[in-house]
Amino acid sequence: MPPGAFALPKAELHLHIEGTLEPELIFALAERNRLTLPYPSVDALRRAYEFTDLQSFLDLYYAAMNVLRTERDFAELAEAYFVRAREQGVVHAEIFFDPQAHTARGVAFETVIDGLWSAVRESERRFGISSKLIMCFLRDRSAESAMATLDQALPYGERIVGVGLDSAELGHPPSKFARVFERALAEGWKTVAHAGEEGPPAYVWEALDLLKVSRVDHGVRSLEDPALVARLRDERIPLTVCPLSNVKLRVFEDLRRHTLGTMLDEGLVATVNSDDPAYFGGYVGDNFTAVAEALDLAPSALVTLARNSFEASFVDTATRERYLALLDAAQPERAAQV
Ligand code: ADE
Ligand code: ZN
């Protein structure tokens, strides 16, 4: 069992299930679904994982998920994630999925959600990992398409805890989706949004003011705006930070330059997450280990990050207390051994 922050009990709050599609599974699903891939081998595919920015990653991400066709494919994808997550100390996961990326190529919404849901239930039963699904809208598609997706999701409302906003950020501000999010809130869903990953602090303000988000996904560029930092701190709005993702997508040139430590020093409710771990070099425990080392974080900071993950999660109060007690019992000194 790996020691330290890697295995500290934690919640993962920023994880795209399609971003857990490992190259080996891409090849296995391509074979099962009789599809030809434009790469001769797993290694050749993995060698293509060199990104210059968010868009260069998204191009590959959307192309690769074309191998996901059946309910069984989606179930196996999520089951594989839960196996990894468990090894890395995850006891609770709030999982994004991108329905439009599947319905646009002819896969039914029902196929996607039934497959994911069967894995959600199975992971609770097998591993005791609780999880929730967050449906993301692709912000580089129209608001009308997002609204139609919301309509499709309504019959599955009980399986979905909230809605989010992802895909290419620049040029697609949160304000574009104000009406869709208003409706989601009226349906009783929570809201979150990617903002301030590549986009400016103004997008984070919009996410807060117009989309009424409970959390900001990424949000690293918030530090450019002191008034925004004050707002996030005062209202204790959590940020779901994804350190290895930020380096792979060149938001920061090096992990040692990452501002996660500054966020904690500023009193922000920062959490550590993996985003698209199959593409970015590690799952959430790996992210903890990497930042601990690169930023020389104290054991107490690592425990704070794990604690924040439960505080920022959408679990009920009793469950949150149970997870925080689990964290307290997990000998914080283990965090010193990363
Ligand atoms: N979809 C999957 N990963 C993403 C990211 N890091 N930013 C925006 N959209 C995404
Ligand atoms: Zn993301």
Side-chain angles (χ1 to χ4, degrees):
M1 182 70 166
F6 181 90
L8 218 49
K10 56 180 80 72
E12 168 132 80
L13 306 177
H14 185 154
L15 181 278
H16 302 263
I17 199 64
E18 296 90 346
T20 69
L21 186 53
E22 291 284 345
E24 291 79 5
L25 188 55
I26 292 175
F27 271 79
L29 294 180
E31 191 178 343
R32 189 159 86 198
N33 292 326
R34 300 180 203 288
L35 300 165
T36 308
L37 295 170
Y39 297 91
S41 67
V42 166
D43 284 346
L45 173 56
R46 210 186 286 278
R47 277 197 296 277
Y49 293 1
E50 288 295 334
F51 310 114
T52 51
D53 57 11
L54 175 57
Q55 188 62 58
S56 66
F57 157 67
L58 291 171
D59 292 342
L60 187 55
Y61 167 80
Y62 292 124
M65 67 176 78
N66 185 38
V67 298
L68 295 164
R69 297 289 172 99
T70 66
E71 186 179 321
R72 180 177 165 203
D73 297 343
F74 285 92
E76 288 182 6
L77 172 69
E79 282 161 14
Y81 164 69
F82 284 119
V83 169
R84 300 262 198 162
R86 177 172 175 250
E87 291 164 1
Q88 309 224 352
V90 173
V91 295
H92 176 75
E94 298 185 1
I95 297 174
F96 295 139
F97 69 110
D98 284 336
Q100 288 159 291
H102 310 301
T103 54
R105 53 188 181 81
V107 177
F109 188 97
E110 184 186 16
T111 301
V112 180
I113 197 144
D114 282 349
L116 297 179
W117 189 246
S118 87
V120 160
R121 290 198 317 197
E122 178 72 0
S123 80
E124 178 99 53
R125 198 185 60 75
R126 264 180 80 193
F127 303 139
I129 299 178
S130 55
S131 56
K132 296 180 183 292
L133 297 176
I134 298 176
M135 175 175 76
C136 282
F137 303 115
L138 302 185
R139 68 201 305 157
D140 44 0
R141 293 178 184 247
S142 68
E144 290 71 29
S145 171
M147 197 66 99
T149 303
L150 188 152
D151 281 327
Q152 282 180 305
L154 287 178
Y156 305 95
E158 293 294 307
R159 298 182 183 181
I160 296 170
V161 72
V163 301
L165 193 61
D166 66 2
S167 203
E169 185 179 9
L170 288 169
H172 302 284
S175 49
K176 180 175 164 187
F177 297 93
R179 278 195 51 242
V180 182
F181 274 61
E182 194 183 330
R183 193 149 161 242
L185 286 161
E187 292 293 341
W189 281 321
K190 310 264 191 210
T191 61
V192 298
H194 284 53
E197 179 185 18
E198 287 188 341
Y203 285 18
V204 180
W205 284 106
E206 284 191 8
L208 296 171
D209 290 334
L210 303 178
L211 308 188
K212 315 278 185 219
V213 295
S214 302
R215 301 193 292 250
V216 174
D217 296 314
H218 293 295
V220 288
R221 288 196 58 195
S222 302
L223 289 185
E224 294 169 25
D225 180 344
L228 178 56
V229 171
R231 165 116 185 245
L232 294 167
R233 177 178 47 235
D234 294 348
E235 295 185 14
R236 292 191 63 75
I237 307 280
L239 303 176
T240 63
V241 180
C242 305
L244 290 176
S245 162
N246 291 154
V247 174
K248 268 302 229 186
L249 301 188
R250 314 240 185 130
V251 174
F252 294 95
E253 67 181 44
D254 191 282
L255 201 53
R256 281 166 299 186
R257 302 240 179 160
H258 200 286
T259 50
L260 175 68
T262 310
M263 290 175 164
L264 292 175
D265 292 344
E266 289 278 358
L268 297 178
V269 186
T271 65
V272 164
N273 307 272
S274 68
D275 208 4
D276 301 285
Y279 295 93
F280 298 153
Y283 286 72
V284 64
D286 304 313
N287 272 267
F288 266 77
T289 303
V291 287
E293 206 169 286
L295 302 177
D296 198 20
L297 294 181
S300 61
L302 297 166
V303 173
T304 297
L305 288 165
R307 175 170 291 273
N308 287 350
S309 75
F310 296 122
E311 289 188 354
S313 75
F314 293 143
V315 296
D316 60 41
T317 308
T319 307
R320 178 174 294 111
E321 292 303 318
R322 184 163 59 80
Y323 285 143
L324 288 171
L326 195 65
L327 176 60
D328 286 341
Q331 307 152 3
E333 62 270 20
R334 282 168 53 190
Q337 301 162 12
V338 287

